Every structure is written in C-alpha cells, then in structure tokens.
Amino acid sequence: MKIVHIASEMSPIAKAGGLGDVVHGLAKEQQRLGHDVSVVLPKYDIIKYKFLENLELERGDLWSFEDTFRYHNSVWRASVDGIPTYLIEAHHNQYYFNRGSIYGCFNDVERFLYFCRTALEFLYTDWKKIDIIHLHDWPTAPVAMLAKKLYRDIGFQFGAIIQTIHSIEHQGKCSPRSLTRIGLRGDDFRTASRCQDNSDPSIINLLKGGIVYSDFVTTVSPTYANEIKTKEHGFGLETTIQKHEHKVRGVLNGIELEFWNPATDKSLPNNYPSNATFIDKIIEMKKKNREALFKKLNLKNTSGPLVACVSRIVEQKGPKLIQEALHHTLEKGGAFILLGSTHDHRYEREFQHIQEHYKSNKGLYIHLQFDEHLARQIYAAADVIVIPSIFEPCGLTQMIALRYATVPVVRFTGGLADTIVDVQNTNLPANTRSGFIFNNPTPQELRQTMDRAFNCYQKNTSEWKTLMANGLNLDFSWKTSALKYQKIYEYAIKGYLTASKLEDAI
Ligand code: ADP
C-alpha cells in the first residue's frame, strides 16, 4: 500500500512527546511489512538536521493559499532512519514554522491549517495515487475535510483517510473564518453533524472534523477508545465518538525495540542486555549506571530505591501526584529524579520551590527541560518509574521503562491499564505481572502503592527480580500494532475486508 502520514511531529527530528515516537515507529514497521510509506511534516526551524540524510530540494515552486493570497513554499525530501520524509518550508510572511517550537504559539491553529492545505496541495500536484492518508491529532485533522470536500472534487485520488487520536484533550478550535481562509466555506461546516464545536456553537472544532470526515478513527489504546465515549474523558467530544462508534477502535502503541535498547543505547555509560536470561548482569549494570548518574548529577547514593519520573508536566500527568511521589520517596530514604518538560510557569515555580525546599537533600534532582539523552540515562539507572496520570491515552514511558528493567508504578487508566499488570493481580498469568497499580488519583492511594513497591524492593529481592524479568519478557514491539493498522487500512479501503473480519483481526 502507498501510505502517507501527515503529522506535526516525528521522532527524532521534531518531537514534543509520544506522538513523534508513534509516527516514526509505526512508519518504520509499516516499511518492514513492505508498504510504501512517507511522512509529511512542516520544516520547523527546530528540526534536528543531524538526523536528516540525503536532504535535497524536491520542489521549489509549490504554491499554496491562505485567504485571497498565494504563498510560495519549498518541499524538501530527506531520509529519516530510512523513512522518506517531506518537509514543507513555508515562505509565508507569518514565519509559521520558524517559531522555535512545535506548539505553543498564539496562532497554532492558523499555522497548522496552512500546513494541512499546503501538504494536500503537494500530494495533489505531485502524487498520482495514495491508498492511505494517516492523520495525527488535531493539527492535521483538517486534511480529512480538505481532501473529501475540496481536493476529491478536483480529481485527487486516495483510498481512505485514517485519523488517530493520540489525545482528545486538545481539539484545535477556531472561528469558521479560519476554515474559510484555507479554502473551505467555514459556515457550511459549522453544523452539529459536521464540525461545529459541541460546547460552543459559534466555533469550529478541527478534531471533530477529523472524526467526522475520516473513514476510520483509531485511538492509541483499547481502554482509551472506551474512555473517550464518556463525559469524564471525552472533553466534549464524547457524543461525536458515540455517534461514530462503528468506525472507532483502539490500537495499542508500540515502542521501537532498536531505538529503545539498553544494549546499544549510546547515552548509557554501561550498556546491558534487555533480556531476562541475564537478569543478574542487568541488575549489576543498572547499579553502575545509577552510580554514574548520581555522580553526574551530584547526588548522594542511598540504599533506598531510585524513583524517576520522565514526563511533560501538564495537568494530564498529575503534577500534584508527581510532587506527592517525590516527597514520599524522600521521606522513605529513596532518591528521586524528575525530568519534566513544561511551558507552564505555574508548575515551573512549584517545582523550583520544592527544589529550594530540599536544597540540602542530595537525594533529589529536578530538571525542567526536554532532554532525551538524560531521559535514557534515567531509564537505565532507576529502580522505579512513577506515572500517576489523571488520564493517559497510551503512554510510552511505562513501556520504555520495562525495556530498561525499571518497574512502573502507575495509575489504572487508558493505556497504562492496558500495559501494566499489578503484582497482586491473580486473575492474569503470573508472568504478565510487571508493576504496581493504583485506581484513584489520591495521595493516599499513591503512597500506599509506592509503599508496596518499596517493601518489595527492599524485602523481597526475588519477587523484585521476577517483576523486572516479567517486564523484560513482555513484547511491546510495533509488530503486532502495525499489523492491526494494516487490517484497519484494508477495512477502510472499502471492499478489502469485512467488518466481522476486522473484529477478528484487531
Ligand atoms: P505524552 O505523549 O503524553 O507526552 P508518552 O508517554 O506517550 O506521553 O510519551 C512520552 C515520550 O516523551 C517518551 O518517549 C518519553 O521518554 C519522552 N519524554 C517525556 N518528557 C520528556 C523530557 N522531559 N525529556 C525527554 N524525554 C521526555
């Protein structure tokens, strides 16, 4: 199949969170399955050029439209880890992609609407036939409307459009005028069955448009696919999801085993196999990595566990509970490392205040930046990773942690519920138990669950080893998930696969 992902992120060249990992991991696995896969991205100024191979100008004369103006664009072609990648450089007077970050600009909606229009203009003028156009979250959701309501009418051919919801929280809301600016008559789309926002009838909801106009919608875990049908997790789109339930399914994300591999990870001072057969060696090497990390961060080694949190710091991730975990770990004589990225000054101040409070305590390190090199060293050194999310569409950090033999303490929600089995869960086979789970996002439940983990770590070495080994034996590679996407694609391109066969396959 000819597959094109149109996305706002792709690891490692432009990543803000899990979406970037997913686009890279899924595209790579689809290549392995023999598909012809490409990715189209904005050419941000923050692109990591060192990961672009064979960068060359594909087109210097791509014209796009906004309002009544024509804008000139260049399209660059490169290979990112073997994945053909097209980067759209907008020569636009608003410098849409030269803002020093992927998101967080005052006019993000306009930036991505322009990108969607230009990406489609590129596909329409350059590519003959595409089987699948795969969209990711609200930034590229408008492609579904543009393709079905504008470009198909002028002869653009494609098999089906897939919309993946990595998080339903952010939806891309704008005035109908913003849609009109990219060539769709905004007011025509502002109806309940199209993309009128469910809460504010005067505005357009771009993610709703992606759901309505795509042929199939996926979310990044089965539990999250169910959760977003509810008022608690749907962020106002629950009724839209219910209405389109027949074409909504959850497919668990995978992780790239080569990319996240402690045996070859160049960031680690001491590599080790990700293979439970070598559990004693792994424990020894993790200890060495911990010593190296403590030295680097000027921390004092303790006999207690090293608990880590690697996360964006946003409400979704439970910042209050992260703070609770931090205090509790230090109270119990452990060490705590937080690597948290945030644009929110409130959280920055809170965590800086905590850092100040524990100034003389050499068991705490807080770094409020995005730093993949350090993240890898943390995964390899930590005993426990804590993920107390309020909601979590899938979550990759728990899977990465398992691959680095770090035991997760997580809240039972979304993809965390689909990937981690509590050590005390006797309903499932013993070899699937890989961590510690709490249900309600309360400080009490978090503390109790951390205590269970600390007790096991300190008093039951053999059970702890078994947990680490179980985690290493679990398979979260992209293989299974990419095959499920393939079945969904075959179903979405009508005629390839029947609905009942799809249900059997996913
Ligand atoms: P989300 O996409 O909601 O941020 P995920 O768990 O799906 O959460 O994916 C997070 C990804 O981003 C993981 O690869 C994780 O290692 C990485 N990550 C998160 N925060 C940081 C950070 N501060 N520095 C480096 N990597 C981070």
Side-chain angles (χ1 to χ4, degrees):
M1 280 189 223
K2 189 167 180 63
I3 301 163
V4 186
H5 292 272
I6 306 182
S8 51
E9 297 178 41
M10 180 169 73
S11 153
I13 61 168
K15 166 174 165 177
L19 192 158
D21 287 336
V22 171
V23 172
H24 182 277
L26 179 58
K28 192 80 200 149
E29 192 61 36
Q30 288 173 330
Q31 273 191 329
R32 284 193 198 105
L33 289 172
H35 299 296
D36 173 356
V37 191
S38 311
V39 177
V40 182
L41 289 170
K43 189 166 181 286
Y44 302 106
D45 52 356
I46 49 90
I47 290 256
K48 294 200 173 125
Y49 281 87
K50 66 176 176 183
F51 296 111
L52 297 178
E53 279 167 38
N54 306 324
L55 179 67
E56 54 186 53
L57 190 65
E58 171 85 4
R59 275 192 65 176
D61 60 343
L62 178 70
W63 289 93
S64 182
F65 308 87
E66 190 187 67
D67 231 345
T68 50
F69 300 103
R70 292 176 83 213
Y71 288 96
H72 178 230
N73 305 271
S74 305
V75 183
W76 296 83
R77 186 185 201 282
S79 169
V80 177
D81 191 22
I83 304 166
T85 304
Y86 296 89
L87 302 167
I88 294 188
E89 180 179 19
H91 305 293
H92 191 288
N93 57 13
Q94 292 294 317
Y95 305 105
Y96 277 152
F97 305 117
N98 297 334
R99 299 290 181 82
S101 70
I102 297 174
Y103 312 112
C105 305
F106 73 95
N107 59 350
D108 276 356
V109 166
E110 278 68 35
R111 296 167 67 224
F112 287 109
L113 279 171
Y114 179 83
F115 169 63
C116 290
R117 171 81 205 228
T118 313
L120 261 182
E121 193 63 26
F122 169 54
L123 298 188
Y124 167 64
T125 48
D126 277 50
W127 293 19
K128 286 292 157 276
K129 194 175 169 303
I130 298 168
D131 293 304
I132 292 292
I133 301 177
H134 195 143
L135 312 174
H136 298 270
D137 273 352
W138 75 263
T140 55
V143 167
M145 285 180 267
L146 282 162
K148 293 257 175 95
K149 292 292 166 193
L150 196 64
Y151 281 87
R152 190 147 67 183
D153 292 347
I154 53 170
F156 179 46
Q157 288 183 21
F158 54 90
I161 297 183
I162 310 299
Q163 169 75 55
T164 291
I165 301 175
H166 298 257
S167 170
I168 206 162
E169 183 185 9
H170 304 289
Q171 300 172 2
K173 298 188 183 183
C174 60
S175 71
R177 163 111 182 87
S178 299
L179 271 195
T180 307
R181 278 161 62 86
I182 57 152
L184 295 166
R185 289 158 63 96
D187 280 324
D188 290 355
F189 286 86
R190 196 173 50 83
T191 67
S193 63
R194 294 181 174 175
C195 50
Q196 181 179 45
D197 187 61
N198 294 340
S199 317
D200 181 347
S202 70
I203 60 174
I204 293 287
N205 184 314
L206 297 177
L207 186 58
K208 179 173 170 183
I211 296 165
V212 171
Y213 286 98
S214 59
D215 298 291
F216 208 91
V217 179
T218 65
T219 66
V220 288
S221 70
T223 296
Y224 192 60
N226 283 324
E227 286 175 345
I228 58 175
K229 290 180 205 159
T230 66
K231 199 166 163 34
E232 187 191 348
H233 291 285
F235 285 92
L237 281 180
E238 56 277 5
T239 49
T240 308
I241 295 291
Q242 288 161 18
K243 186 169 169 206
H244 294 270
E245 198 172 9
H246 60 282
K247 61 169 189 183
V248 180
R249 293 292 181 279
V251 178
L252 194 67
N253 284 336
I255 56 167
E256 282 177 88
L257 302 187
E258 284 159 30
F259 192 67
W260 298 107
N261 184 356
T264 54
D265 194 327
K266 291 200 175 65
S267 297
L268 308 193
N270 302 283
N271 290 107
Y272 56 91
S274 186
N275 180 332
T277 327
F278 304 104
I279 190 70
D280 291 321
K281 179 85 185 157
I282 292 170
I283 291 171
E284 184 194 327
M285 298 315 268
K286 274 183 79 81
K287 210 165 157 196
K288 285 193 171 168
N289 281 316
R290 171 179 163 144
E291 281 160 12
L293 187 61
F294 274 49
K295 198 164 168 209
K296 169 177 159 171
L297 305 180
N298 195 22
L299 294 178
K300 192 165 155 275
N301 220 339
T302 74
S303 58
L306 169 58
V307 180
C309 177
V310 178
S311 181
R312 288 182 298 123
I313 307 290
V314 288
E315 207 48 41
Q316 171 201 339
K317 303 289 181 183
K320 288 284 171 221
L321 291 172
I322 294 173
Q323 290 173 12
E324 199 65 38
L326 179 161
H327 294 304
H328 194 59
T329 304
L330 296 180
E331 274 164 34
K332 295 281 169 172
F336 196 95
I337 298 180
L338 167 64
L339 176 59
S341 37
T342 180
H343 296 293
D344 190 328
H345 297 309
R346 188 173 39 125
Y347 294 133
E348 259 171 35
R349 277 195 298 274
E350 278 182 23
F351 281 102
Q352 279 159 359
H353 183 73
I354 291 172
Q355 207 163 16
E356 193 60 24
H357 176 77
Y358 286 109
K359 207 165 44 189
S360 56
N361 189 328
K362 291 249 179 264
L364 174 66
Y365 184 82
I366 298 178
H367 190 56
L368 297 179
Q369 294 289 331
F370 186 92
D371 184 339
E372 183 154 324
H373 179 65
L374 181 58
R376 289 170 177 277
Q377 294 179 340
I378 293 172
Y379 288 123
D383 301 298
V384 171
I385 189 119
V386 63
I387 314 172
S389 304
I390 306 304
F391 69 93
E392 192 59 76
C394 178
L396 299 177
T397 45
Q398 78 279 17
M399 300 189 218
I400 300 168
L402 293 177
R403 179 116 174 103
Y404 283 66
T406 302
V407 175
V409 170
V410 306
R411 179 160 174 257
F412 190 80
T413 182
L416 296 170
D418 289 336
T419 48
I420 305 300
V421 174
D422 191 276
V423 65
Q424 290 175 345
N425 185 337
T426 47
N427 296 325
L428 290 167
N431 64 357
T432 61
R433 297 172 205 155
S434 57
F436 298 84
I437 299 187
F438 62 104
N439 279 307
N440 296 306
T442 62
Q444 295 76 8
E445 284 201 24
L446 171 69
R447 281 172 180 259
Q448 280 162 10
T449 310
M450 292 187 77
D451 284 341
R452 283 201 289 129
F454 292 166
N455 274 333
C456 181
Y457 174 84
Q458 273 154 345
K459 301 190 187 137
N460 197 341
T461 317
S462 72
E463 187 172 38
W464 191 261
K465 253 195 207 179
T466 306
L467 267 181
M468 289 169 88
N470 286 350
L472 290 165
N473 284 333
L474 293 171
D475 179 5
F476 291 116
S477 67
W478 266 107
K479 216 180 266 166
T480 319
S481 307
L483 282 169
K484 289 186 179 176
Y485 273 107
Q486 183 175 307
K487 293 293 170 203
I488 287 171
Y489 291 175
E490 288 170 357
Y491 172 71
I493 303 173
K494 306 273 183 298
Y496 269 111
L497 195 72
T498 61
S500 62
K501 283 225 173 96
L502 175 70
E503 292 310 328
D504 290 345
I506 59 171

